[in-house]
């Protein structure tokens, strides 16, 4: 029997929201792990900016990869948009919590890593359970 409802990935807005949430969760997890690594293993704060940048880039790349893998089209544009939306969420949180938005470097980092993840996701192997949209 066929399914009568559309996939989450058939809708552009819902799929982008899911990918951005996935990227933000991965970014938070990577930030927590890098903070634990800095605190317990390294003991000094010299590389904290590098670890934060890596966490942001990896989160954007993973979120855009998920979007590209399941959406199967528009990898470069969708990945860039995923990174830009992640920046919007992070900048809004920065304005609310700290009173100042995130810098332009973060936007560039998230957009470029998101574009790379989106292209890699579109060009990856097709998921087994994915139905045509």
């Amino acid at each position: 029997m066929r399914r009568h409802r559309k996939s989450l990935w058939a809708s552009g807005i819902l799929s982008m929201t899911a990918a951005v949430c996935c990227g933000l969760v991965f970014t938070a997890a990577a930030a927590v792990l890098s903070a634990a690594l800095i605190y317990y293993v390294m003991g000094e704060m010299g590389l904290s900016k590098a670890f934060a940048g890596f966490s942001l880039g990896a989160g954007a790349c993973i979120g855009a990869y998920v979007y590209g893998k399941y959406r199967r089209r528009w990898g470069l544009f969708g990945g860039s948009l995923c990174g830009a939306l992640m920046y919007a969420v992070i900048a809004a949180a920065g304005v609310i919590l700290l009173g100042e938005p995130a810098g332009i470097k973060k936007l560039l980092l998230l957009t470029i890593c998101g574009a790379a993840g989106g292209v890699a996701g579109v060009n990856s192997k097709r998921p087994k359970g994915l139905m045509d949209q």
Side-chain angles (χ1 to χ4, degrees):
M1 225 183 199
R2 290 189 153 232
R3 294 189 321 185
H4 295 290
R5 62 183 172 93
K6 287 187 176 183
S7 172
L8 166 75
W9 304 104
S11 170
I13 295 172
L14 288 177
S15 60
M16 185 57 71
T17 304
V20 168
C21 288
C22 179
L24 289 172
V25 166
F26 188 83
T27 299
V32 167
L33 287 176
S34 65
L37 179 73
I38 289 172
Y39 183 74
Y40 290 114
V41 176
M42 295 175 56
E44 62 181 73
M45 298 293 291
L47 294 174
S48 63
K49 287 187 179 183
F51 278 109
F54 176 77
S55 298
L56 279 173
C61 192
I62 293 295
Y65 181 83
V66 167
Y67 177 80
K69 187 165 183 81
Y70 286 99
R71 188 80 172 154
R72 307 302 296 171
R73 63 174 88 80
W74 297 74
L76 186 66
F77 177 72
S80 299
L81 185 62
C82 183
L85 289 176
M86 284 181 64
Y87 172 78
V89 171
I90 291 170
V95 167
I96 292 171
L97 297 175
L98 302 174
E100 59 185 40
I104 192 76
K105 290 180 189 176
K106 284 186 181 147
L107 175 62
L108 291 173
L109 175 73
L110 290 170
T111 304
I112 291 170
C113 290
V119 169
V122 167
N123 292 326
S124 67
K125 191 174 178 182
R126 184 181 172 89
K128 288 185 180 186
L130 182 66
M131 303 293 277
D132 283 343
Q133 299 151 1

